[in-house]
Amino acid sequence: MEEIIQILKELDWSPLFISLKTGVVAMFISFFLGIFAARKVVKATPGKKAVIDGILTLPMVLPPTVAGFFLLLLFSRRRPLGEFLFEQFDFKVVQTWLGCVIAATVIAFPLMYRNARAAMEQIDMNLVYAGRTLGMSDTKIFWTVIVPTAGPGIASGTILTFARALGEYGATSMLAGNIPGKTGTISQKIAMVIQDGDYLTAGIWVAIVMIIAFAVIFLMNLISGSKMKHIGRW
């Protein structure tokens, strides 16, 4: 116990702060992009819906390192886009915290999109028709009728997106690297200390991640349960 306390006192907490900061930013970006994409896909024709849905869901089923490979090809300064961004705007993605955010967003986005889409597809169209008879525009109907009705699904997607972005490792390692105090996240820290044979420190970080993960799942269940407390159970 004394050894654990001593490790906690000397622990570098930057991986936790970097991971939390990355998770929050990726969550906000995925929230708006996911809702926008879900709305477009729900209204698309079946053929177009299948193609777009496949593309948007792909990062969720591919190994994260594959997504990281494509992101590295896209944003590397040796590639046209990466070179253009750096020369014209002094905008660097590779081995920066921005790379952490982009990698985490790409990997976590499908969770937000899939949850938002599933929630929107279950909405009773009579609510939309009622809004139109009241003279509401499609935009107003979407934000005042559809989004609140799909609230539990969107909330669950938002929380899961944060949790996934918080623990992202593969794509982040390839795009942002593992620079202590800059791009070093909790997942990268765990891998690094295990390679050094420091299982006690690794166990402490694992415990921290598990506590955060449990809190996220508890919050998601709490939100879902509060929205469904009036529904009868069989």
Side-chain angles (χ1 to χ4, degrees):
M1 179 61 70
E2 292 182 1
E3 188 177 357
I4 294 176
I5 294 175
Q6 184 63 31
I7 291 176
L8 286 173
K9 289 180 179 179
E10 298 175 354
L11 202 63
D12 176 17
W13 293 97
S14 64
L16 175 61
F17 300 139
I18 292 171
S19 296
L20 289 174
K21 185 170 61 172
T22 300
V24 169
V25 175
M27 179 188 68
F28 274 105
I29 296 173
S30 299
F31 176 82
F32 292 104
L33 289 181
I35 290 178
F36 175 80
R39 180 187 183 189
K40 293 297 182 182
V41 171
V42 167
K43 297 176 68 175
T45 58
K48 189 181 294 184
K49 179 185 295 185
V51 174
I52 298 175
D53 181 76
I55 294 173
L56 296 178
T57 308
L58 205 56
M60 187 169 65
V61 296
L62 286 175
T65 49
V66 175
F69 171 77
F70 283 111
L71 289 172
L72 193 58
L73 286 180
L74 187 64
F75 291 107
S76 172
R77 287 175 56 185
R78 297 181 180 180
R79 301 294 172 177
L81 178 59
E83 183 181 6
F84 172 78
L85 292 174
F86 184 75
E87 291 183 353
Q88 299 297 323
F89 306 103
D90 196 23
F91 194 75
K92 184 181 178 183
V93 174
V94 179
Q95 293 188 335
T96 65
W97 177 71
L98 181 60
C100 291
V101 173
I102 293 175
T105 301
V106 169
I107 298 301
F109 165 81
L111 290 171
M112 182 67 225
Y113 157 71
R114 296 291 298 185
N115 277 271
R117 179 192 160 187
M120 291 179 187
E121 287 178 336
Q122 296 178 11
I123 293 176
D124 188 353
M125 282 300 296
N126 290 322
L127 296 174
V128 178
Y129 298 146
R132 289 174 179 170
T133 59
L134 295 174
M136 299 170 65
S137 64
D138 287 343
T139 302
K140 189 173 183 180
I141 290 173
F142 179 76
W143 288 108
T144 60
V145 177
I146 295 178
V147 171
T149 305
I154 292 175
S156 297
T158 303
I159 295 171
L160 287 174
T161 298
F162 170 75
R164 184 65 186 86
L166 182 72
E168 206 322 273
Y169 174 72
T172 302
S173 298
M174 295 193 67
L175 186 63
N178 184 13
I179 304 173
K182 186 177 180 182
T183 64
T185 61
I186 290 180
S187 299
Q188 293 170 325
K189 185 66 175 181
I190 291 173
M192 187 173 66
V193 295
I194 286 179
Q195 289 177 357
D196 294 337
D198 189 356
Y199 287 89
L200 183 57
T201 303
I204 292 174
W205 281 116
V206 168
I208 293 172
V209 171
M210 290 182 66
I211 291 172
I212 296 174
F214 178 80
V216 167
I217 295 172
F218 177 79
L219 181 61
M220 183 181 67
N221 291 334
L222 198 63
I223 293 174
S224 300
S226 65
K227 298 294 182 179
M228 301 179 65
K229 61 183 179 181
H230 299 300
I231 297 178
R233 300 289 191 270
W234 55 273

